[in-house]
Amino acid sequence: MTGPLSGLTVIEVSAFIAAPYATLTLAQMGAEVIRIDPIGGGLDFHRWPVTENGDSLYWTGLNKGKKSVTLNVREPRGREIATALMTRAGAGKGMVVTNLPARGWLDFEALKARRADLIMVNIVGRRDGGVALDYTINARTGFPMVTGPADKARPVNHVMPVWDIVTGLSAANALLVAERHRRDHGVGQYIRLALADSALSVLSHLGYVAEVQINDDDRPATGNHVYGTFGCDFATADDRRVMITAFTARHWRALVAATGTEAEMAELARAQEVDLDDEAARYTFREAIESALAPWFAARDLADIAAALDAAGACWGPYQSFRQLVEEDPDLTTANPMFTEITQPGVGTHLAAGAFTEFAAFDRLPATAAPRLGADTDAVLAQHLGLDATTLADLRADGVIAGADDN
């Protein structure tokens, strides 16, 4: 099977999340992604979680469907090989994604001298060149101040590196925009994305910046209540918890019907002289609504709650651990066509997600395993640079390149 990006070759020089996530997205759409790592692996090659044998599930997860080349770029011949891969002639080639500093062997102008229409996407921490990671940027955004219990004594971080993901998806989009521009105008370009700016843009787009400047409001922490509407978590009789949201009047009516609380909600609306079909009113009186709904949830097991809420068309979801998701939620795993069971070398057999976007004109490519580190070195250098077996053997003997068995 070939994907919609078949014919594109992207060279990745990266570590950690944002850049590998960008190229993973491209690979799962059919692009050939060649990842260059130092011999023995880069900074993220042993990143947790790892297996009992020390193989990184993080690394294999982010590098599914790519090709792995390992080079010693401290050695001139290694740098020349990397340069040749990045600047190879031909349509759909000459594209680089990196989150390393764009200098030395990754200097854009130097690479451009070898291929004038080169495209480079460079992910940096801060726009001013300062060092930053998702976790430090998130601390600056204000979100940890409103995450967690309303009465917490300290900021609460979320564990999902959302700004890395946002930046990675934006980087993939930026590369495709630049590739289209090159096709139309014959011009390459250097594209710079700051991880911090991806977070700041979201703050702007979702109204957090204007909320301070226009409303003079510094949003408070509200626990698991959803700001500006009704959303709340409830305990069940079997010691589970569920999250309920009622953003729309239809969802609100479905929730009330499923829980049989029409009379209580009508009385609350009369007493407060409000229309609870209005989400602002539901937010204002969220604690009273929570108190009215809590006994219904507390008296029922999760299975009964699920049946009632689903029958009514309410919007809800169970809180569950990663284990519960994998072992008890087939709608998100084995029954989902996005997932394929793969056998990952050095790791074992497990479910893996392919592309999450469905196109009417293209079949979804199934997930494929990540390569062993350096597994594609010989094949890539032979195919893309025309190096013969004798040359490859000499480079390996001199420590310039390495294959899977050498790392």
Side-chain angles (χ1 to χ4, degrees):
M1 296 174 65
T2 59
L5 298 184
S6 177
L8 298 187
T9 296
V10 180
I11 307 301
E12 173 192 342
V13 185
S14 71
F16 300 115
I17 299 176
Y21 201 93
T23 52
L24 171 65
T25 302
L26 299 170
Q28 293 194 320
M29 297 288 186
E32 178 188 37
V33 175
I34 300 170
R35 174 165 172 159
I36 297 176
D37 276 300
I39 294 173
L43 297 171
D44 58 348
F45 186 54
H46 296 292
R47 184 81 160 80
W48 282 22
V50 296
T51 66
E52 290 182 356
N53 295 327
D55 291 301
S56 172
L57 301 177
Y58 167 103
W59 194 91
T60 55
L62 281 170
N63 291 292
K64 293 188 295 290
K66 301 179 186 179
K67 295 178 179 178
S68 175
V69 170
T70 48
L71 301 173
N72 178 6
V73 294
R74 297 176 184 274
E75 210 271 357
R77 287 176 294 173
R79 292 194 296 274
E80 173 55 31
I81 289 170
T83 297
L85 287 173
M86 291 186 284
T87 61
R88 187 187 172 197
K93 298 175 177 60
M95 292 181 286
V96 181
V97 175
T98 185
N99 62 346
L100 274 62
R103 58 177 181 261
W105 63 283
L106 284 170
D107 179 71
F108 175 73
E109 293 300 329
L111 292 170
K112 184 180 175 183
R114 296 276 293 268
R115 176 165 178 159
D117 63 352
L118 183 82
I119 295 170
M120 174 181 282
V121 177
N122 188 199
I123 298 171
V124 300
R126 300 201 320 240
R127 181 170 41 83
D128 62 5
V131 178
L133 291 177
D134 185 285
Y135 307 98
T136 61
I137 288 169
N138 191 58
R140 296 179 62 203
T141 64
F143 285 110
M145 308 304 291
V146 297
T147 301
D151 59 352
K152 65 185 184 298
R154 55 191 289 186
V156 176
N157 291 335
H158 59 71
V159 299
M160 205 279 277
V162 63
W163 308 123
D164 278 325
I165 303 305
V166 170
T167 304
L169 293 173
S170 299
N173 184 58
L175 184 89
L176 296 178
V177 170
E179 194 273 334
R180 177 174 179 176
H181 183 76
R182 186 172 72 178
R183 279 187 296 148
D184 292 344
H185 304 287
V187 178
Q189 58 185 299
Y190 173 74
I191 304 157
R192 193 166 180 263
L193 287 84
L195 196 66
D197 282 352
S198 75
L200 295 174
S201 69
V202 170
L203 287 171
S204 171
H205 300 332
L206 298 185
Y208 292 93
V209 174
E211 186 177 21
V212 172
Q213 293 187 314
I214 303 300
N215 294 352
D216 193 27
D217 190 14
D218 196 9
R219 187 178 301 190
T222 57
N224 284 340
H225 284 283
V226 177
Y227 184 76
T229 188
F230 183 74
C232 186
D233 64 309
F234 293 95
T236 71
D238 53 348
D239 295 323
R240 296 290 298 273
R241 294 196 80 85
V242 296
M243 181 66 190
I244 309 298
T245 61
F247 280 45
T248 68
R250 184 179 69 81
H251 288 158
W252 168 247
R253 293 169 189 167
L255 174 61
V256 172
T259 55
T261 53
E262 293 93 338
E264 291 93 329
M265 298 310 169
E267 177 56 32
L268 174 62
R270 282 193 297 270
Q272 301 297 335
E273 298 181 342
V274 296
D275 180 2
L276 292 179
D277 277 353
D278 176 58
E279 65 175 348
R282 294 196 295 275
Y283 180 70
T284 300
F285 297 101
R286 61 191 180 278
E287 293 177 351
I289 294 172
E290 179 184 6
S291 295
L293 292 173
W296 185 87
F297 288 93
R300 291 164 175 79
D301 288 349
L302 177 61
D304 294 332
I305 290 170
L309 295 177
D310 286 343
C315 187
W316 75 284
Y319 284 88
Q320 55 191 16
S321 67
F322 297 134
R323 178 178 293 278
Q324 289 170 320
L325 167 66
V326 172
E327 296 182 352
E328 302 173 15
D329 198 338
D331 184 56
L332 296 181
T333 51
T334 56
N336 190 326
M338 179 176 68
F339 282 89
T340 305
E341 193 172 74
I342 65 171
T343 299
Q344 178 62 52
V347 170
T349 300
H350 62 86
L351 288 167
F356 61 84
T357 306
E358 295 184 63
F359 292 94
F362 306 105
D363 291 330
R364 188 202 308 268
L365 296 178
T368 56
R372 293 176 62 198
L373 183 68
D376 304 292
T377 301
D378 284 16
V380 165
L381 301 189
Q383 176 189 348
H384 286 264
L385 303 183
L387 302 187
D388 59 29
T390 300
T391 302
L392 292 171
D394 290 343
L395 289 168
R396 180 174 291 101
D398 291 341
V400 178
I401 67 172
D405 294 332
D406 308 314
N407 280 288

